[in-house]
Amino acid sequence: MPSRLERLCIEKGLKMTDQRRIIARVLSEAQDHPDVELLHRRAAQVDPGISLATAYRTVRLFEEASILERRDFGDGRARYEEAKDDHHDHLIDIQSGRVIEFTNEQIERLQQGVAAELGYRLVGHRLELYAVPIGKEAASDAETQGIAKHKRAAHSGGGEK
């Protein structure tokens, strides 16, 4: 049975080669947000003939077709997840790199309220929280600088859903 991502590719009219099907399946099964290199390693376990270049081309094709979304969680790697119908936000553990997806209706209402107070109707947003586990030692200087970098990046560019 085809994965959700494979079905979306077919609906978008993309030609699905065997290697693209494998890459789509690996992405659909991912519980994390893999970068292309990790995606390639996983796909190559299924078909050793899949090259890194094929993985890059396929990810770009899926992204251009709006069935895959690129994420930048500040670790210097573009990471990917299926484009989903449901909105969610991310909490990133800056010590381990773990990414946790979550939804919170209070945050959603608050963001819409802020936009309305400023005279706007919110049409999309992206929320990324950078955190360390509670109970761990205080963040190191490098972590603090990393958080400051994320704040600067958030203020300098457009965010979307």
Side-chain angles (χ1 to χ4, degrees), residues 10-44:
I10 293 165
E11 288 173 14
K12 296 271 187 169
L14 299 180
K15 180 180 177 193
M16 291 302 289
T17 64
D18 289 341
Q19 291 183 336
R20 285 182 185 166
R21 286 182 196 284
I22 291 168
I23 291 169
R25 193 169 307 120
V26 168
L27 282 163
S28 285
E29 293 170 357
Q31 297 299 309
D32 54 0
H33 298 73
D35 63 10
V36 177
E37 288 80 10
L38 180 55
L39 172 63
H40 171 252
R41 285 194 299 274
R42 291 175 181 172

Side-chain angles (χ1 to χ4, degrees), residues 27 32-36 59 63 68-70 78-81:
L27 282 163
D32 54 0
H33 298 73
D35 63 10
V36 177
V59 164
E63 188 179 3
L68 194 64
E69 293 180 349
R70 177 193 313 232
R79 305 207 297 173
Y80 296 89
E81 69 178 337

Side-chain angles (χ1 to χ4, degrees), residues 75-95:
D75 58 3
R77 303 177 300 154
R79 305 207 297 173
Y80 296 89
E81 69 178 337
E82 276 187 60
K84 297 178 181 171
D85 295 333
D86 63 327
H87 170 74
H88 63 273
D89 297 307
H90 297 94
L91 181 137
I92 299 93
D93 178 331
I94 62 173
Q95 290 179 340

